[in-house]
Amino acid sequence: MRPIRPLFAARRGRSARRRTSPVLAAVGLATALSLTATACGSGDTTANAEASSSAQDNGGDGKIRIPDNIKEKLKEHGIDLDKWRGGAWKNWDKDDWLREAEDYVNPIIEDLWDPDRMRDAEEPEKEVDESDLTGDQGVTDPTPQAVQAEAVATKYHANAPAAGKVFFDAPEGTMVCSATVVKDPANPGKSNLVWTAGHCVHAGKSGGWYRNIAFVPSYNDSGLSAAQMRTATKDQVAPYGMWWGDWAQTSDQWIEQGGQKGGDGAPYDFAVIHVTPEEGNGGKSLEETVGSALPVDFDAPAVPQVDSITATGYPAGAPYDGEAMYQCTDKPGRLSLVESDPTMYRIGCTMTGGSSGGGWVATGSDGKPALVSNTSIGPVSAGWLAGPRLGKEAQGIYDAVSEKFAQR
């Protein structure tokens, strides 16, 4: 959640408008290539058709080699895979930081996300007060009463199987958000799509795409304590594997308007990530692996007709530690930041930073549970959360990513 800016996270650093017509962001270059410290690994690379079909030349020595045409495509984006693998991804020079929608590149670096590194991703000491909301011009309901977040019963997979964490790197350090597995209309029953907030994949108007984006479903499934997590194995931390984002898409509005303060771009703060497993997964999709994926409702009832919304996430700001999954359920109200932008949902909830991007579930237009929003912003003091309403812009992004991977 952005406390009217990101409360998603870093231990080693501090986090992480031009009006435009609702033009959809283009899908970016995806690179599902497993990299190890010594050579290209043998991880599953099926998500990107060009990379996976052409990266099978192993030269007879068992090591997968990246063909020249793939290397040249990446070099167009200023990326040398050998240098990237060796740490060049840490260069955040603004002139070289890819920011346009079509520039998304996220090569897999095998074993980068070990338990220690995942544990180090937490909420930064960054505060913005609620005065950032004084520009409200549209319909805004009274501030909701705080709703105490409740811990989700373990194992999380049995109670919220579609929920998990997104990890990524930003200039400020190692970051974390929450996310949800969603259905893929082009691949029914075999989805590799994850829904999160736009600010969990892209820095907005001041920067570009984040790096090393990966999703961990049912993170810390057994609910180990922070002390126990210090010695936890990767299987305990990520029991359903590490899934790298080989493609991501957010709104043009977020890329052009999203800011570090206030609610800039918040009504369009959503993103879809297509993922691929870091290690071979026997050809199973993410949905098949976790056994669940939520439909997304882009025609949810108006706020007054919504009885309740349940938000799920991994809050990391005090008094939470980012290791446990929590939920809040409340009847939503309306929050308008700019009269010409869509009105957002708002609920009472004490979840803090780290819960950004987590799914909001309500009874959809067909009477069944569906994802209708995601956590975007909240006040410094906690007590409420706000999320975008998902309309034609969100559906366009969702459909574009789905269609891009149709029949794959």
Side-chain angles (χ1 to χ4, degrees), residues 237-318:
V237 174
Y240 295 91
M242 176 72 63
W243 297 74
W244 282 67
D246 59 356
W247 206 277
Q249 189 165 341
T250 186
S251 67
D252 250 14
Q253 291 89 341
W254 174 256
I255 290 174
E256 296 189 22
Q257 302 171 11
Q260 293 186 350
K261 295 182 179 179
D264 290 353
Y268 301 96
D269 186 13
F270 39 73
V272 178
I273 307 170
H274 185 278
V275 298
T276 190
E278 178 176 291
E279 301 175 353
N281 196 44
K284 284 187 177 180
S285 66
L286 175 61
E287 181 178 3
E288 291 171 306
T289 299
V290 303
S292 180
L294 284 172
V296 185
D297 192 341
F298 300 100
D299 190 26
V303 169
Q305 279 73 56
V306 180
D307 291 332
S308 68
I309 285 179
T310 297
T312 302
Y314 285 85

Side-chain angles (χ1 to χ4, degrees), residues 26-92:
V27 182
L29 171 67
T31 310
L33 300 176
S34 287
L35 307 180
T36 67
T38 57
C40 296
S42 58
D44 184 6
T45 61
T46 58
N48 180 282
E50 182 182 13
S52 61
S53 63
S54 57
Q56 299 304 312
D57 175 17
N58 62 20
D61 60 4
K63 295 180 180 179
I64 294 178
R65 306 193 187 286
I66 301 170
D68 290 341
N69 66 318
I70 298 296
K71 289 184 178 179
E72 290 304 313
K73 186 67 176 176
L74 293 177
K75 284 182 179 179
E76 291 177 12
H77 293 260
I79 294 175
D80 180 291
L81 280 176
D82 291 333
K83 292 180 179 178
W84 190 271
R85 174 177 68 216
W89 64 264
K90 298 176 184 177
N91 177 13
W92 295 97

